[in-house]
Amino acid sequence: MRAILMVCLGNICRSPMAEAAMRYHAEKAGLDIMVDSAGTAAYHIGKAPDTRGQQVVLHNAGFEMGHFKARQVQAEDFNHFDTIYAMDAQNLRDLEHIRPANSKAKLSLLLEEIGQSQSVADPYYGDISDFETVWSQVSAACEAIIREY
Ligand code: 4NP
């Protein structure tokens, strides 16, 4: 089974939404994929996703993510997942730093899947419209990943 890890800074805004988008599109396509998310930082370990993100995901996908719990990414994740997607360029640099030398996991920016070498902007200090933008970006990227399976 393919295993995909979505990573941002806090694991409460962007990466849980990307995890939800991946689960949503995989289920729609009838594909069994292992999906998880994590943060490079430890600030929010154990917390549920930001309620604004929960609201946007519920509204757009009918997907409930209140039970998700934030965790910090570990070096071992590079052995458990085939692909690790970073939400932004800083996350990518931080992941490259903890990546074990013998790791086979593919590491890239999520939006490269839709031909954009750009970051998913951090919506933490923004408003609900910023979370809507995150959803449209991560959803389009996950849909593209599923289409290539
Ligand atoms: P995320 O957003 O990385 O998309 O989960 C953030 C969450 C928390 C903080 C920054 C970004 N923070 O500074 O606490």
Side-chain angles (χ1 to χ4, degrees):
M1 195 194 298
R2 285 283 301 269
I4 293 177
L5 182 67
M6 303 293 191
V7 177
C8 62
L9 176 65
N11 192 209
I12 54 166
C13 298
R14 294 163 293 175
S15 62
M17 294 176 77
E19 176 184 346
M22 202 66 223
R23 292 182 183 278
Y24 170 67
H25 288 294
E27 192 180 327
K28 257 204 331 195
L31 291 175
D32 217 6
I33 300 171
M34 184 187 158
V35 191
D36 195 9
S37 61
T40 55
Y43 320 132
H44 299 287
I45 291 173
K47 283 198 203 152
D50 189 290
T51 51
R52 296 166 295 179
Q54 289 193 43
Q55 205 179 312
V56 165
V57 169
L58 189 60
H59 182 250
N60 284 281
F63 188 95
E64 177 57 64
M65 57 174 191
H67 60 287
F68 287 8
K69 278 195 170 44
R71 73 170 180 92
Q72 190 172 21
V73 68
Q74 309 290 329
E76 302 90 79
D77 285 317
F78 283 88
N79 299 321
H80 299 149
F81 294 89
D82 310 299
T83 310
I84 300 181
Y85 286 114
M87 297 302 115
D88 71 29
Q90 184 60 52
N91 308 146
L92 186 64
R93 283 192 290 274
D94 291 340
L95 285 164
E96 276 160 357
H97 212 71
I98 64 159
R99 177 185 201 156
N102 58 354
S103 150
K104 290 200 184 71
K106 177 192 154 190
L107 175 60
S108 66
L109 280 175
L110 178 63
L111 296 188
E112 272 175 13
E113 292 288 350
I114 47 172
Q116 298 172 20
S117 58
Q118 77 183 61
S119 297
V120 179
D122 181 355
Y124 188 61
Y125 294 106
D127 60 27
I128 196 85
S129 69
D130 299 299
F131 283 81
E132 288 284 357
T133 301
V134 170
W135 174 258
S136 54
Q137 292 177 323
V138 302
S139 180
C142 291
E143 204 171 5
I145 293 165
I146 292 291
R147 222 180 294 125
E148 279 168 20
Y149 267 40

